[in-house]
Structure formats: structure tokens, C-alpha cells
Amino acid sequence: MAQTAEALKTSYQGQMHLLQKDMMGRYFERVTRAAEKGEGKAVYMLISGNPVELIQAFDLIPVYPEIDALQLAVKKSALPFIQKAEELGYSMDNCAYVKADVGLFLGDRKTPFATIPLPALILCNYVGCNVYLQWFEHLAEYCDGHLYNLDIPFLREASGEPSPEDITYVVRQLEEVIEICERLTGKKLDYARLKDIVRRSSETGEMWSRIKGLTKNMPSPFDAYFDSVTMMAPLYCLRGTEEGVRFFETALAEMEEKVRMGTGPLPKERFRFIIEGPPPWPYLRTFRDLFSKWGAVAVASTYSTVGGLWEFGFRHDADHPLESIARHMLQWNVTNRNFLQRYQQLRRYVEEWHADALVIHSVKSCRLFSAGQGDMREYFTKELNVPTLLIESDIEDPRYFSEAQLKNRIDAFFESLEHKKILRSGSDTGGAA
Amino acid sequence: MTTVENMISKYREPLENSPLDLVVDWKDKHPGKKVVGCYPVYTPVELIHAAGMLPVGVIGAGNRLEIAHADSRFQSFICSIVKSTLELGLTDRLKFLDGIVFHSICDPARNLGSVFTRNFPELLVEYIHFPQNMTSPHTIDYLIAEYERLNVSYERLAGNKITDEGLNRSIALYNTQRRLLRELYAIRKAAPQNLSTLECYVLTRIGTLLPPEEHISILEEAIPELRKRNAKPKDRVRVVLEGSFCEQPPIELLEGLEAAGCYILDDDFLIGWRWFSEDISTSGDPLRNIANAYLNQSVYSGVKHDTREPKSKHLIDKYKETGASAVLILAAKFCEPALFDYALYKRALEKEGIPHLCLEFEEKMWIFDKARTEVETFVESMLFD
Ligand code: SF4
Ligand code: SF4
């Protein structure tokens, strides 16, 4: 039976969270200094399969409009920006991440967490999402900025691998990006330094992957959706730095400790689920509580593999830095993999992470994720017999979140799951149901 | 009846009811021939043709097919063409196809390709990633490799080798078709009273369904006849239309737009079948030529993001060059690329003081009163201001 939300509210605040707050605070200070004092140059990039290593190698500041949009949503201040963009001609039906960011970009770029600098380079790492191309095309037009489309061929072969030509094409483009950064900074690329950074990315990948493996434990030491989010920002903004490595060491140690203690994010883990799709940032807490009250913990999520997919073995390779950056962008993130590869990723999660169910959170803004999720549900329910729940809201736009509706659907789903569990445990012990 | 009138009366109805029936008929008469469906926007049809197969446009299902299954796979916020195309498959209406190809135009179309792969294992589903880096000197090699990959796949499907000579013959053939389409469009641009958008559309759309030779001979008869027409222009607002590069508006809507008081001088309907502003070269390496044409001779479009020049500049150039007095944006509902483009178009058009109207449509729409009224109001404001 569901317990009251209050009784089960997660109140975990470990070392890792404090460190994260501190590090991200410093990152945003750096971003703000670039905007307000002209210290350093900002390179705009996108999260999916980002090549942050290159940007770090030039001491340029990676700025991710997606993180800005996300922060605005979390801080419940996205709507006025979205509406401003709609007044300018953006449609109700366009991705609200873009709208929030455009609204912000065309104003004074001041937010509760940072002031966002104008870009010295708009590097559109086109990894999976087609909206990215237009998003950065628009920003470039608004500020008359320097735009480079770093084109990443989508995984489209039956093998699920990039072709040798795909890899060459991306490496050649990375070399062009290096030239642009050299012109921008007036510095030659320090290749040894790039290798160090890539080595640190590889260490980070190793630790992150181990952290994600820990949720195979019962109970899971953390929630692979709601808590992973804390680790994702350092993964994108600080990957390849000493600080980033330290953060992941701390996080790993903390999570291992939790496994030893047998503690998890909830007092009692009653259901383990896999979740597909981005979170509803404006109502993250509310959304989480809808699951927590059922003792339901997400043990794996596709969203946490947007920036990179490490848990299936990929590591950056310091001996081949550009090629490994290319492979990361082409193959080792969920967004550049085709939709059926995502089915298989989820299937592995269900099987290897021992989940009871799959929850598909279908968000209107992000069609990269959502388009066709009804077919995914069909596959999991009909072909694999995995209990699957499909619910809809949005990643950014608070107008598309209906708590009552979500609550009904989630309650009904877990009720029936619980019922099945009781039946099963009844038959397991030989008792009559 | 003249050729044009004949063609319109012959094809309008099948186009509105079930365009792919034309292909089914053709296949029945040509046993053993294979057919590859091309989802919008652009497909290098020469590759398919040179393998001895017929490339045809699979461009949604119009407004006569009820969507009963596909809407449980694709959500309410996905454009109509994605759902209607899947519905065609789920109701066994694509059985005549041997292959289908999707492209990197948007996220829904891309995921649709995967959904096709899973649901129709007997169909060869290909996916082309068109490059979005139009400035790197390395892009062309990537695109050639992509075409080589497709060639291998199509040779296997067709059971025929694709040779350079064969490719060059196909290029020449489609060059002719595209050149005739450019001529057709030039006629309407010069004197829209002599060629209605309905006629222009039907004459173009059948080219996505018939073998190119057949389409060419239709156009070769129609064009001289159209040149002889000498109607008196009506008092209408001349517009260029933009935004319908993928999902297609119902034919009744096109009629309605003109009847509401416009002449459409240029548009981007079926733009992938008219993709090049000049012929593709037939000398030298054909795959390189097709790839080079994509990078350097293709028209602008909402699905090709060329950093060399803003799309809005192209639109404004088109507006000026055609002598239009307004721009009509006709975007498919939920079409992310078209709707994003609109924001930049709006800004650029306002800056230039060019009047414009933005309408949304759906291929499945039945009622056109609202669109028509909006156009009428717009036209009145233009004519009497
Ligand atoms: S569609 Fe999705 S991935 Fe793309 S910009 Fe929007 S939220 Fe991000
Ligand atoms: S109409 Fe637009 S959104 Fe729909 S498939 Fe075509 S390009 Fe994509």
C-alpha cells in the first residue's frame, strides 16, 4: 500500500551533494565573470555527446544553454522566457528548452544562478537532436556569432556501429574545431595536455560507470534518475578536470559505503523501475514523490546517458584522444543511437538491473526522446512482458504538468504491480492466491 | 480536353484518395520490378533507379485514411505525416514496397524509420544521414561514402550491379525531369493566371509516383500547351509560399488559398523532388557529382542547415526575384523544423517590411474555412490598404 509522501520523503544530503553545490557554484561564478568582467571566452555547446575535452584543453569556458534552460526550469523561472519567445514567433509546439533559452538570450542574460556570457564560438555538436541545429542557428543569427556545425552521423547501420568513414569525418571536423580554438585563443593546442584531459575523462568514465553499476544492488544505494542528475552536471561541465575526478571519487566512495550499509534513497525499496525520457524539471520534487510514496526507486535511466554512455564499457583513450572523442560523440551516448538501440539499452537495464517495470516519461518538448514511444511500450509489454507505464508531461514547460492526472496513472500502475507481486509471492511459497 | 486538363481530371482524384494506388497498378503491370519508397524530403533517387528499381514518394496518406493504429505509437504532438505513413504500413497498404528510405530531417521521421524496421521486417529500411556541416572540405568524402553504402544495399535488394554508366543515365533522366519541373514553375511564376497551383501541384506530384520517363513525356506535352495559354490576370495578391517541404497540404486547401485571392508564384511543395537549381553533372564520378550537387547546387530548405547563408536571406531573395508582394508561411502542425524556421523568417520579413501571413495546416484536415478566412482577411488588408 502507498504510504504518505511525508513519511517517505527523501532527505539524503551527503558529502557528494555539498561538493557538487560548491563546484557548480564555482563553475557558474566563472561563467558570470566571463559575462560581466570579460574574463575568459565562452564556447556554447550542447550536452549530447559533448566534446568538452577540447574546450578544456584551451581553457575556454564550456557553456551549455541546455543547463541554463534546465536551471531556469528547476528554479521555476522558465515560463516568462518561454512566453517571450512565443511572442517573437516561436510556436507553442516548439521545444521549450530552446524557447526558454532564446527568451533569456535576447534579454540581459541574467538568471538567479549566473549571468550568461555571449559566445566567442557557437559550437553546434549535432549529436542526435535535430533541434540543436536550429537552436544554435538562431542564437548565431541573434548575436551575429561564429557558428560551427560539428556534424555527427547518426548510427544507422544494422551493426549499430559507426563506419570508418564516419569516424574519419568526425576526426577531421574536430581538427577544424581545434584550428578555430587556436585562432580564438591565440594558442597552439598543447597535445600532451589534451591527452591528460582525455585520461582524466577516462578515469571519470570508469568511476561513473562503477557508480551506475552499484544500483544493481538491492536496495539500490541511490535513485538512478533523480539522484543521477546531481552527478550529471559535473560530468558535463567538469569532465577532464582534476576537480571533476575528485568529485567522482567522492561520489563513488559514498555510494559504495551506502551499499555496504545496505541503505538506499528510501527507507524501504519496494519496487525497482527503469525510466526512459527526461525529467519534468519544473516539478521534479513533486514527480519524485509520486514514485517515492510507493517505495519505487529508479535503478537505471536512459536520460543519464545523454551526455555519454559509459556503463557498457566505453572509456576515452588518451593514446588516441581525437578518435576517442569522436567515438564518444558517435556511438557512446543515447542520443546518437537509433531508437531500436534504445529499446535494447532499456532491455539490458530491465534484465541486468533486475527491474520490476519500465516507466516511459514522454515529454512533448523533446521529440528525440518521445517520438514513437508508443511503439516502445508495445515492444516491452507485448514482446517482453514487462509492465510498462507511459505518462506525459514536459521537460521545461510548466504548463504541461498535470499532477492529478499523473498521480492517477502512477497510482493505478503501482497498485496493479503490487497486486501482481502479492500473487507471485503467494505462488512462490506455494500458497494459494 | 487539353493534355493539362486531361491530366488533372485523370490524377486529381487518385492523388486525393490514395496516391500509392498508382504505383500498385504499375507494379502489377511490371512483375518482377522492385519499388523503393522515399519519405520526404530529398532522396538521391538516381541510386535506386540505377539499380533497376523505381523510386516513389511515400508522402503521407492525405485526409482520407482514418488513423486507427498509428496514434497509439506516435503521440498527439507528432505531425500527421509520421502517423499516416505508419498507418499505411500497419494496415498493409505498403505491401507493394520492397524498401523505404528515411532521412535526417527531424527527430520524429528518424524514429519512424526505426519503428518501420521493427514492425516491417520484410521491408528494407534505409536511413540517410545528410551532412549538416556544409563548410568542411571533408564533408563531400563523407557523403560519397554514405552513397556508396546505399549502393551496396540497393544492389543487394535489386540483385543488379549499379554501374557508373547506369548512374549517369539515371542522373541525365532525372535532370530532365527536374529541368522540366523548373520550367513548369517558371511558367507559373511569370504568369500565374496561366497555371493554377492546383495544376502545378498535380503535375509535380505525379512525378513522385510514375516512372520518370512517363512523367517527362507528360510534362513535355503539357509545357508547350501551357505556354500558349493567355489568360487575363485577376486582381490577386502575389505571394511566395514557404514551409510545406515535408508534409503536404490537402489539394482542396491549395485551391482554397488561391480562391481566397492569392496567386502563388513559388512554393516549396515536394521540394525534395525539385532539389537542384541546375543539372547534376554527368561527366566524371557520378557519386561525387550527386554528393557535390547536394552540397553546392541544392535549394535551401528547413531541413538543411547551411551556415554559409541564412535561410531567411534565401526567402527574401525569392520574394524579390519573383516580384511577390507578400510571403505566406504554410507550416505543418507540429513540424518542428518549419515552426522553428518561422521565428527567423518572421524577424527577417519584419525587418524588411515584407507583409506575411503564417498558417498551420495538417494533411488530415477536412475543413478549410478558417484558413480561407484568414487568407481573405490578409488579402483584403493588402489590396485595400
Ligand atoms: S529536442 Fe530534446 S535534446 Fe533537443 S534541444 Fe529539445 S530537449 Fe534538448
Ligand atoms: S512534417 Fe516536419 S516534423 Fe513531420 S516528419 Fe516532416 S519534417 Fe519532420
Side-chain angles (χ1 to χ4, degrees), chain B residues 30-279:
Chain B
H30 298 81
K33 277 288 218 176
K34 294 199 163 159
V35 174
V36 174
C38 306
Y39 194 80
V41 175
Y42 164 73
T43 304
V45 283
E46 287 87 347
L47 274 50
I48 297 165
H49 187 262
M53 303 186 287
L54 180 66
V56 300
V58 173
I59 313 173
N63 59 9
R64 309 281 164 95
L65 180 71
E66 192 201 340
I67 306 294
H69 309 87
D71 51 357
S72 73
R73 310 291 179 94
F74 281 87
Q75 300 90 326
S76 56
F77 50 78
I78 303 295
C79 63
S80 295
I81 182 174
V82 162
K83 283 181 268 196
S84 68
T85 304
L86 180 59
E87 187 73 22
L88 286 172
L90 293 175
T91 52
D92 287 341
R93 287 177 166 89
L94 296 179
K95 283 267 182 246
F96 68 95
L97 286 181
D98 300 284
I100 189 165
V101 53
F102 297 91
H103 323 88
S104 48
I105 54 170
C106 67
D107 298 343
R110 186 185 58 205
N111 289 4
L112 179 63
S114 286
V115 171
F116 260 73
T117 304
R118 188 178 91 77
N119 285 276
F120 313 112
E122 64 289 353
L123 201 60
L124 173 78
V125 181
E126 274 298 349
Y127 180 83
I128 303 179
H129 178 95
F130 284 112
Q132 295 288 6
N133 182 338
M134 309 296 271
T135 57
S136 168
H138 304 290
T139 303
I140 186 148
D141 292 329
Y142 159 76
L143 188 53
I144 293 169
E146 183 70 346
Y147 289 168
E148 278 166 352
R149 179 179 73 78
L150 283 166
N151 266 1
V152 172
S153 175
Y154 287 139
E155 283 180 344
R156 206 176 305 134
L157 179 65
N160 293 323
K161 270 255 156 278
I162 300 178
T163 62
D164 281 3
E165 297 73 52
L167 273 172
N168 276 327
R169 272 197 304 277
S170 300
I171 294 175
L173 189 65
Y174 283 99
N175 272 345
T176 307
Q177 184 192 44
R178 285 183 294 249
R179 184 170 37 73
L180 290 167
L181 288 173
R182 287 197 294 272
E183 283 177 28
L184 186 74
Y185 267 71
I187 290 173
R188 188 182 51 165
K189 182 166 70 181
Q193 68 276 16
N194 290 334
L195 174 62
S196 73
T197 290
L198 162 74
E199 291 170 322
C200 184
Y201 184 81
V202 169
L203 287 171
T204 308
R205 180 80 188 252
I206 55 176
T208 70
L209 299 159
L210 303 173
E213 298 84 350
E214 213 174 300
H215 186 225
I216 286 170
S217 63
I218 293 173
L219 292 178
E220 279 172 344
E221 264 188 72
I223 286 171
E225 195 183 292
L226 290 168
R227 289 217 168 99
K228 287 198 204 108
R229 283 189 183 173
N230 193 9
K232 252 206 155 85
K234 295 194 180 113
D235 200 11
R236 288 182 173 180
V237 172
R238 289 165 185 253
V239 302
V240 295
L241 183 147
E242 184 77 33
S244 309
F245 46 80
C246 180
E247 184 171 319
Q248 297 296 292
I251 290 178
E252 296 111 298
L253 176 63
L254 303 185
E255 273 182 311
L257 294 181
E258 288 203 325
C262 306
Y263 279 131
I264 297 171
L265 301 183
D266 203 353
D267 59 56
D268 59 354
F269 304 139
L270 308 165
I271 192 72
W273 294 79
R274 313 186 276 117
W275 196 240
F276 302 106
S277 50
E278 46 194 296
D279 283 354

Side-chain angles (χ1 to χ4, degrees), chain A residues 48 66 95 97-98 129 131-132 135 335 365-368 395, chain B residues 107 336:
Chain A
S48 297
E66 280 159 302
C95 169
Y97 254 32
V98 181
C129 171
V131 168
Y132 280 173
W135 187 346
T335 36
S365 275
C366 189
R367 287 159 176 99
L368 166 152
I395 182 173
Chain B
D107 298 343
E336 193 101 74

Side-chain angles (χ1 to χ4, degrees), chain A residues 87-91 93-95 98 126 128-131 133-134 137-138 141-142 147-149 151-154 156-157 165-166 169 172-173 176 335 338-340 342-343 362-365 367-375 377-379 383 392, chain B residues 72-78 104-108 110-111 114-115 117-119 126-133 135-139 141-142 145-146 149 302 305-307 310-312 333-344 346-347 360:
Chain A
E87 277 161 32
L88 293 171
Y90 289 85
S91 160
D93 300 316
N94 278 135
C95 169
V98 181
Y126 165 43
C129 171
N130 280 283
V131 168
L133 290 160
Q134 286 180 290
E137 176 187 20
H138 289 212
E141 249 188 81
Y142 293 140
L147 171 64
Y148 182 90
N149 279 352
D151 177 30
I152 307 298
F154 192 66
R156 60 218 180 279
E157 294 198 62
E165 290 83 3
D166 291 349
Y169 176 43
R172 292 285 103 82
Q173 293 180 83
E176 289 175 16
T335 36
N338 67 54
F339 201 37
L340 298 182
R342 199 175 338 143
Y343 292 15
S362 170
V363 300
K364 181 182 178 193
S365 275
R367 287 159 176 99
L368 166 152
F369 260 105
S370 60
Q373 278 170 333
D375 186 73
R377 172 181 54 189
E378 188 92 359
Y379 173 71
E383 306 243 323
E392 287 187 18
Chain B
S72 73
R73 310 291 179 94
F74 281 87
Q75 300 90 326
S76 56
F77 50 78
I78 303 295
S104 48
I105 54 170
C106 67
D107 298 343
R110 186 185 58 205
N111 289 4
S114 286
V115 171
T117 304
R118 188 178 91 77
N119 285 276
E126 274 298 349
Y127 180 83
I128 303 179
H129 178 95
F130 284 112
Q132 295 288 6
N133 182 338
T135 57
S136 168
H138 304 290
T139 303
D141 292 329
Y142 159 76
E146 183 70 346
R149 179 179 73 78
H305 307 285
D306 189 342
T307 55
K311 287 175 210 144
S312 51
K333 188 157 178 59
F334 301 120
C335 175
E336 193 101 74
L339 295 172
F340 268 126
D341 276 348
Y342 174 60
L344 288 189
K346 178 171 187 277
R347 177 170 179 262
E360 283 187 20

Side-chain angles (χ1 to χ4, degrees), chain A residues 44-55:
Chain A
Y44 281 21
M45 271 193 303
L46 296 143
I47 291 293
S48 297
N50 61 79
V52 72
E53 289 81 7
L54 278 187
I55 305 310

Side-chain angles (χ1 to χ4, degrees), chain B residues 304-374:
Chain B
K304 197 182 76 186
H305 307 285
D306 189 342
T307 55
R308 290 173 294 192
E309 230 166 14
K311 287 175 210 144
S312 51
K313 179 181 177 305
H314 287 284
L315 176 60
I316 288 169
D317 287 350
K318 195 192 255 188
Y319 160 89
K320 289 185 179 154
E321 189 246 326
T322 53
S325 50
V327 168
L328 183 59
I329 306 284
L330 186 64
K333 188 157 178 59
F334 301 120
C335 175
E336 193 101 74
L339 295 172
F340 268 126
D341 276 348
Y342 174 60
L344 288 189
Y345 287 153
K346 178 171 187 277
R347 177 170 179 262
L349 293 169
E350 281 170 0
K351 218 184 217 165
E352 294 271 330
I354 299 170
H356 78 273
L357 175 69
C358 178
L359 294 175
E360 283 187 20
F361 74 92
E362 284 186 276
E363 66 166 24
K364 65 174 188 203
M365 73 200 281
W366 264 108
I367 299 166
F368 308 101
D369 301 354
K370 187 170 162 273
R372 204 177 150 144
T373 315
E374 279 189 59

